PDB file of all heavy atoms in Angstrom:
ATOM      1  N   ALA A 292     -18.020 -13.750  -6.499  1.00  0.00           N
ATOM      2  CA  ALA A 292     -18.505 -14.590  -7.597  1.00  0.00           C
ATOM      3  C   ALA A 292     -18.834 -15.996  -7.105  1.00  0.00           C
ATOM      4  O   ALA A 292     -19.832 -16.601  -7.533  1.00  0.00           O
ATOM      5  CB  ALA A 292     -17.460 -14.646  -8.709  1.00  0.00           C
ATOM      6  N   MET A 293     -18.018 -16.521  -6.209  1.00  0.00           N
ATOM      7  CA  MET A 293     -18.291 -17.842  -5.657  1.00  0.00           C
ATOM      8  C   MET A 293     -19.592 -17.828  -4.853  1.00  0.00           C
ATOM      9  O   MET A 293     -20.414 -18.744  -4.948  1.00  0.00           O
ATOM     10  CB  MET A 293     -17.117 -18.281  -4.775  1.00  0.00           C
ATOM     11  CG  MET A 293     -17.186 -19.712  -4.285  1.00  0.00           C
ATOM     12  SD  MET A 293     -15.684 -20.231  -3.382  1.00  0.00           S
ATOM     13  CE  MET A 293     -15.927 -19.334  -1.842  1.00  0.00           C
ATOM     14  N   ALA A 294     -19.792 -16.754  -4.075  1.00  0.00           N
ATOM     15  CA  ALA A 294     -21.029 -16.611  -3.297  1.00  0.00           C
ATOM     16  C   ALA A 294     -22.229 -16.428  -4.212  1.00  0.00           C
ATOM     17  O   ALA A 294     -23.315 -16.973  -3.943  1.00  0.00           O
ATOM     18  CB  ALA A 294     -20.905 -15.423  -2.343  1.00  0.00           C
ATOM     19  N   ALA A 295     -22.049 -15.686  -5.290  1.00  0.00           N
ATOM     20  CA  ALA A 295     -23.151 -15.485  -6.236  1.00  0.00           C
ATOM     21  C   ALA A 295     -23.579 -16.803  -6.859  1.00  0.00           C
ATOM     22  O   ALA A 295     -24.773 -17.061  -7.050  1.00  0.00           O
ATOM     23  CB  ALA A 295     -22.733 -14.490  -7.315  1.00  0.00           C
ATOM     24  N   GLY A 296     -22.601 -17.651  -7.177  1.00  0.00           N
ATOM     25  CA  GLY A 296     -22.927 -18.964  -7.721  1.00  0.00           C
ATOM     26  C   GLY A 296     -23.701 -19.807  -6.730  1.00  0.00           C
ATOM     27  O   GLY A 296     -24.672 -20.485  -7.087  1.00  0.00           O
ATOM     28  N   ALA A 297     -23.286 -19.751  -5.460  1.00  0.00           N
ATOM     29  CA  ALA A 297     -24.004 -20.496  -4.428  1.00  0.00           C
ATOM     30  C   ALA A 297     -25.417 -19.947  -4.233  1.00  0.00           C
ATOM     31  O   ALA A 297     -26.375 -20.704  -4.073  1.00  0.00           O
ATOM     32  CB  ALA A 297     -23.221 -20.439  -3.112  1.00  0.00           C
ATOM     33  N   ALA A 298     -25.529 -18.608  -4.289  1.00  0.00           N
ATOM     34  CA  ALA A 298     -26.850 -17.979  -4.155  1.00  0.00           C
ATOM     35  C   ALA A 298     -27.754 -18.359  -5.312  1.00  0.00           C
ATOM     36  O   ALA A 298     -28.962 -18.584  -5.133  1.00  0.00           O
ATOM     37  CB  ALA A 298     -26.697 -16.460  -4.064  1.00  0.00           C
ATOM     38  N   ALA A 299     -27.183 -18.438  -6.513  1.00  0.00           N
ATOM     39  CA  ALA A 299     -27.968 -18.813  -7.692  1.00  0.00           C
ATOM     40  C   ALA A 299     -28.532 -20.219  -7.538  1.00  0.00           C
ATOM     41  O   ALA A 299     -29.678 -20.501  -7.926  1.00  0.00           O
ATOM     42  CB  ALA A 299     -27.123 -18.701  -8.948  1.00  0.00           C
ATOM     43  N   SER A 300     -27.724 -21.124  -6.964  1.00  0.00           N
ATOM     44  CA  SER A 300     -28.206 -22.496  -6.769  1.00  0.00           C
ATOM     45  C   SER A 300     -29.311 -22.567  -5.724  1.00  0.00           C
ATOM     46  O   SER A 300     -30.122 -23.492  -5.730  1.00  0.00           O
ATOM     47  CB  SER A 300     -27.048 -23.405  -6.358  1.00  0.00           C
ATOM     48  OG  SER A 300     -26.563 -23.060  -5.073  1.00  0.00           O
ATOM     49  N   LEU A 301     -29.362 -21.552  -4.842  1.00  0.00           N
ATOM     50  CA  LEU A 301     -30.398 -21.494  -3.803  1.00  0.00           C
ATOM     51  C   LEU A 301     -31.601 -20.668  -4.237  1.00  0.00           C
ATOM     52  O   LEU A 301     -32.590 -20.573  -3.506  1.00  0.00           O
ATOM     53  CB  LEU A 301     -29.818 -20.892  -2.517  1.00  0.00           C
ATOM     54  CG  LEU A 301     -28.705 -21.691  -1.825  1.00  0.00           C
ATOM     55  CD1 LEU A 301     -28.101 -20.871  -0.690  1.00  0.00           C
ATOM     56  CD2 LEU A 301     -29.238 -23.027  -1.312  1.00  0.00           C
ATOM     57  N   GLY A 302     -31.493 -20.053  -5.410  1.00  0.00           N
ATOM     58  CA  GLY A 302     -32.582 -19.238  -5.917  1.00  0.00           C
ATOM     59  C   GLY A 302     -32.660 -17.844  -5.327  1.00  0.00           C
ATOM     60  O   GLY A 302     -33.687 -17.166  -5.444  1.00  0.00           O
ATOM     61  N   SER A 303     -31.561 -17.386  -4.698  1.00  0.00           N
ATOM     62  CA  SER A 303     -31.576 -16.067  -4.063  1.00  0.00           C
ATOM     63  C   SER A 303     -30.635 -15.067  -4.735  1.00  0.00           C
ATOM     64  O   SER A 303     -30.364 -14.003  -4.187  1.00  0.00           O
ATOM     65  CB  SER A 303     -31.192 -16.203  -2.584  1.00  0.00           C
ATOM     66  OG  SER A 303     -29.877 -16.748  -2.445  1.00  0.00           O
ATOM     67  N   PHE A 304     -30.162 -15.400  -5.929  1.00  0.00           N
ATOM     68  CA  PHE A 304     -29.199 -14.527  -6.626  1.00  0.00           C
ATOM     69  C   PHE A 304     -29.874 -13.261  -7.134  1.00  0.00           C
ATOM     70  O   PHE A 304     -30.993 -13.294  -7.656  1.00  0.00           O
ATOM     71  CB  PHE A 304     -28.565 -15.273  -7.795  1.00  0.00           C
ATOM     72  CG  PHE A 304     -27.719 -14.410  -8.688  1.00  0.00           C
ATOM     73  CD1 PHE A 304     -26.464 -13.991  -8.278  1.00  0.00           C
ATOM     74  CD2 PHE A 304     -28.186 -14.002  -9.940  1.00  0.00           C
ATOM     75  CE1 PHE A 304     -25.677 -13.195  -9.097  1.00  0.00           C
ATOM     76  CE2 PHE A 304     -27.406 -13.210 -10.763  1.00  0.00           C
ATOM     77  CZ  PHE A 304     -26.151 -12.802 -10.338  1.00  0.00           C
ATOM     78  N   SER A 305     -29.167 -12.137  -7.008  1.00  0.00           N
ATOM     79  CA  SER A 305     -29.607 -10.858  -7.555  1.00  0.00           C
ATOM     80  C   SER A 305     -28.478 -10.274  -8.387  1.00  0.00           C
ATOM     81  O   SER A 305     -27.401  -9.994  -7.861  1.00  0.00           O
ATOM     82  CB  SER A 305     -29.983  -9.888  -6.435  1.00  0.00           C
ATOM     83  OG  SER A 305     -30.089  -8.567  -6.923  1.00  0.00           O
ATOM     84  N   ALA A 306     -28.713 -10.090  -9.687  1.00  0.00           N
ATOM     85  CA  ALA A 306     -27.681  -9.546 -10.561  1.00  0.00           C
ATOM     86  C   ALA A 306     -27.288  -8.135 -10.123  1.00  0.00           C
ATOM     87  O   ALA A 306     -26.100  -7.777 -10.132  1.00  0.00           O
ATOM     88  CB  ALA A 306     -28.170  -9.534 -12.010  1.00  0.00           C
ATOM     89  N   GLY A 307     -28.283  -7.333  -9.747  1.00  0.00           N
ATOM     90  CA  GLY A 307     -27.999  -5.966  -9.308  1.00  0.00           C
ATOM     91  C   GLY A 307     -27.115  -5.950  -8.079  1.00  0.00           C
ATOM     92  O   GLY A 307     -26.167  -5.152  -7.991  1.00  0.00           O
TER      93      GLY A 307
END
Side-chain angles (χ1 to χ4, degrees):
M293 188 174 74
S300 67
L301 296 172
S303 61
F304 172 75
S305 165

